Amino acid sequence: MSMMTDNSTRRSAARRGISATLAMLPLLLGTTLAGHAADIDTSKRIRVAMVPKLVGLSVFKANEQGAVEAAKKLNIDFLYTGPVTASAQGQVDVFNSLIARRFNVITTTSNNPTQLAPALRRAMAQGIKVVSYDSDVAPDARNFFIQNTDYAEFGKALVESVAKYAGPNAKIAILSSTPDATIQNEWISALKKYMTATYPKMTIVTTQYGQSSPSQSLTAGLNILQANPDVTGIIAPDGAAEVGAAAAVEKLGLKGKVVVGGCSDPDSIRQYVKSGIIRETPLWDEVKEGELVMYVARLAADNAIQRNGTFDAGDLGSFTAKDGVIVFSKPLIFNADNIDQYHF
């Protein structure tokens, strides 16, 4: 009887010890466990603006679509506003209006990282949080930056979108957005490094700009192809530029002779992917990225996110901030086999 009692006592003590250890886990693990388990406080309604490079461009409309859905869940009074052309001064004018109206958070993708900085620093000085996404501003002019993808990975994907089809000795043209666009310049730098290391005989013969306008990109694409008849591939790291480049190839009857790669939303390039002018093209889910922008805005407004650490963004999952930079996604490759699975 005594032995049975001792065993029972030991088992009971062991269970109490395990229960105590489990109860202590949140304290032992600290903010990591608490950060993942905590619900986002949406009790206070906040005002958040999303300022794209320009209104009307489909990739930014996809961001807006995701942002609108997330704003409903997060008790955000949401405003989508921006210039009608890809103008840094136009964005600054919008920022000044938002500062005067005391918005809680300004989110933006930049036309020019330095020209936007003074207005955004002024916003931060007045207690307004700034979240950049897609194309960054000067680091001291924002609280957080949501980077679409790792730059090196995306540079590789851009090169491969044409190299697989134009060949390792191809003569390539680049058709970008504007000369000062932060994100495009990061990608161009990354693709050049990858091209030099992987395809040393591939050459870039010209770099042109379409001002994030489909019509101006078409004109630039036509100019590229007419002035450089030896070009067999165009890399267009901009939504409007890729559409313009593909339209130029189609207009000049060069399908099968010139392949277009780059990045744009699936709805804008679907016809060119199906016709074979664009064989594959990397991007990411722009709608979900818009959702993430709102989650970060909500957390930033509430001082509930750190510049270094992990956080939860609802159904989007967990993300990591490092020195205020949050990488959203790996490149998502659209091609003829999968493009009809995506609509934005």
Side-chain angles (χ1 to χ4, degrees):
M1 178 70 72
S2 175
M3 183 178 295
M4 292 178 63
T5 301
D6 289 345
N7 288 339
S8 175
T9 300
R10 282 194 291 271
R11 286 194 296 270
S12 177
R15 285 194 294 269
R16 288 196 301 272
I18 292 169
S19 297
T21 301
L22 291 173
M24 286 291 291
L25 272 176
L27 297 177
L28 294 171
L29 295 177
T31 57
T32 300
L33 182 59
H36 284 295
D39 292 330
I40 296 174
D41 183 2
T42 60
S43 58
K44 177 184 175 183
R45 190 162 180 82
I46 61 171
R47 303 172 74 197
V48 177
M50 176 174 269
V51 185
K53 293 180 181 180
L54 72 166
V55 296
L57 195 60
S58 53
V59 288
F60 299 138
K61 291 294 289 181
N63 294 150
E64 180 195 13
Q65 179 185 335
V68 167
E69 290 304 311
K72 294 175 184 175
K73 303 175 187 177
L74 298 171
N75 196 20
I76 290 173
D77 184 2
F78 175 76
L79 174 67
Y80 182 80
T81 181
V84 295
T85 60
S87 161
Q89 184 56 52
Q91 287 187 299
V92 170
D93 292 342
V94 172
F95 297 154
N96 289 335
S97 171
L98 297 170
I99 293 168
R101 295 160 66 184
R102 301 298 301 170
F103 269 70
N104 300 97
V105 186
I106 295 172
T107 72
T108 189
T109 174
S110 163
N111 278 310
N112 180 299
T114 55
Q115 195 171 339
L116 270 55
L120 293 175
R121 291 191 195 105
R122 188 163 61 255
M124 294 171 69
Q126 296 187 28
I128 299 171
K129 295 298 194 296
V130 176
V131 178
S132 61
Y133 64 96
D134 179 61
S135 191
D136 200 8
V137 298
D140 67 342
R142 45 81 170 160
N143 300 97
F144 294 94
F145 168 48
I146 298 171
Q147 182 177 317
N148 306 315
T149 65
D150 176 82
Y151 292 141
E153 287 187 26
F154 204 72
K156 174 183 176 180
L158 287 169
V159 173
E160 292 296 346
S161 71
V162 299
K164 292 178 183 177
Y165 311 100
N169 302 326
K171 288 182 167 47
I172 302 297
I174 294 176
L175 177 55
S176 191
S177 56
T178 62
D180 297 321
T182 315
I183 189 69
Q184 274 78 22
N185 288 339
E186 291 284 0
W187 291 338
I188 290 169
S189 176
L191 74 85
K192 285 179 176 178
K193 289 178 182 177
Y194 178 78
M195 188 182 291
T196 299
T198 310
Y199 299 105
K201 295 184 178 180
M202 187 177 288
T203 56
I204 297 172
V205 299
T206 185
T207 299
Q208 302 294 328
Y209 302 93
Q211 306 300 317
S212 288
S213 161
S215 61
Q216 291 185 61
S217 295
L218 170 59
T219 299
L222 292 170
N223 291 340
I224 287 171
L225 294 170
Q226 290 168 338
N228 302 277
D230 55 346
V231 163
T232 54
I234 299 177
I235 299 176
D238 168 69
E242 189 173 28
V243 172
V249 169
E250 184 178 64
K251 189 177 184 68
L252 295 176
L254 294 175
K255 174 188 168 184
K257 297 179 181 179
V258 179
V259 64
V260 175
C263 58
S264 187
D265 62 285
D267 286 349
S268 294
I269 58 173
R270 195 180 312 278
Q271 68 184 88
Y272 301 114
V273 172
K274 291 189 173 184
S275 73
I277 292 173
I278 297 172
R279 301 295 295 275
E280 64 179 55
T281 182
L283 194 67
W284 50 89
D285 192 321
E286 295 277 10
V287 176
K288 289 184 178 179
E289 185 181 33
E291 292 181 42
L292 180 61
V293 173
M294 288 303 104
Y295 274 96
V296 174
R298 174 84 248 187
L299 292 168
D302 297 337
N303 296 312
I305 182 174
Q306 303 299 316
R307 286 177 56 81
N308 290 283
T310 59
F311 65 95
D312 281 346
D315 294 339
L316 297 174
S318 295
F319 294 86
T320 299
K322 184 176 181 181
D323 296 328
V325 177
I326 302 156
V327 177
F328 168 61
S329 172
K330 289 187 174 296
L332 170 62
I333 308 298
F334 299 125
N335 54 40
D337 292 331
N338 72 358
I339 195 164
D340 282 339
Q341 299 173 28
Y342 300 92
H343 296 276
F344 60 84

